[in-house]
Amino acid sequence: MKIDKKGLSLIAEFEGLSLKPYKCSASIPTIGYGSTYYENGTRVQMSDAPITKQRAEQLLQHTADRFASKVVNLLKKPVTQNQFNALVSFAFNVGSGALASSTLLKLVNVNPNDIMIAKEFLKWNKVNKVPVQGLTNRRIKESALYFTK
């Protein structure tokens, strides 16, 4: 499966756009729509030159495709396009390792339509054990997209 425009749009909405490098909440140099690496595997540096919006969109597609391939490898049951988009957005934000070890993925791999999955999305809204409204909003939207037919 591949992420589609709905999935990319969701990621872009919550990552926001920065044409100059900045440090994300985890203090990692980031550029564009939440990209921490370039296509060639080089890490983003704070000293990197600004990019254009078009370049940011290319990086977003590349980064999202990388996470999408990781999500595909983690899935044991077929999912809908919306379910896949939501899982890729989640992995883009928290990392594929976090998704791999999550109860969220365990539930998806037993029954992708289990309503308990919605609660699992919402558990991932904290930084240093403190709820963050932006993450809560993202998890609500990811969960809503996940359950959209």
Side-chain angles (χ1 to χ4, degrees), residues 70-79 87 100 105-112:
K70 291 176 182 181
V71 170
V72 164
N73 291 329
L74 293 171
L75 291 171
K76 293 178 175 41
K77 297 273 186 175
V79 296
L87 292 169
L105 183 66
K106 287 178 181 78
L107 291 176
V108 169
N109 281 333
V110 170
N111 174 8

Side-chain angles (χ1 to χ4, degrees), residues 4-56:
D4 69 11
K5 286 184 182 183
K6 263 189 204 171
L8 289 172
S9 177
L10 179 63
I11 293 169
E13 175 185 346
F14 285 101
E15 292 295 334
L17 173 61
S18 178
L19 301 178
K20 295 177 183 174
Y22 66 97
K23 287 196 176 180
C24 71
S25 59
S27 292
I28 298 169
T30 307
I31 200 163
Y33 295 100
S35 295
T36 56
Y37 289 89
Y38 297 103
E39 293 91 341
N40 66 3
T42 303
R43 283 182 176 268
V44 172
Q45 301 294 318
M46 291 304 295
S47 57
D48 291 349
I51 60 174
T52 64
K53 185 174 186 222
Q54 181 181 6
R55 179 76 179 108

Side-chain angles (χ1 to χ4, degrees), residues 116-147:
M116 296 304 293
I117 291 168
K119 288 184 179 179
E120 291 304 317
F121 272 104
L122 294 175
K123 289 180 180 177
W124 293 82
N125 70 335
K126 297 170 189 72
V127 174
N128 297 322
K129 299 182 182 179
V130 177
V132 174
Q133 190 60 53
L135 289 176
T136 300
N137 294 345
R138 184 174 186 149
R139 298 290 100 85
I140 289 168
K141 279 245 181 145
E142 287 167 345
S143 181
L145 178 60
Y146 186 92
F147 286 102

Side-chain angles (χ1 to χ4, degrees), residues 56-112:
E57 290 168 356
Q58 291 168 344
L59 274 172
L60 171 62
Q61 183 72 61
H62 173 78
T63 305
D65 286 346
R66 209 175 77 237
F67 279 102
S69 70
K70 291 176 182 181
V71 170
V72 164
N73 291 329
L74 293 171
L75 291 171
K76 293 178 175 41
K77 297 273 186 175
V79 296
T80 67
Q81 184 65 55
N82 285 333
Q83 289 170 333
F84 184 73
N85 288 337
L87 292 169
V88 173
S89 174
F90 180 86
F92 190 106
N93 182 236
V94 303
S96 55
L99 175 61
S101 63
S102 71
T103 302
L104 170 62
L105 183 66
K106 287 178 181 78
L107 291 176
V108 169
N109 281 333
V110 170
N111 174 8

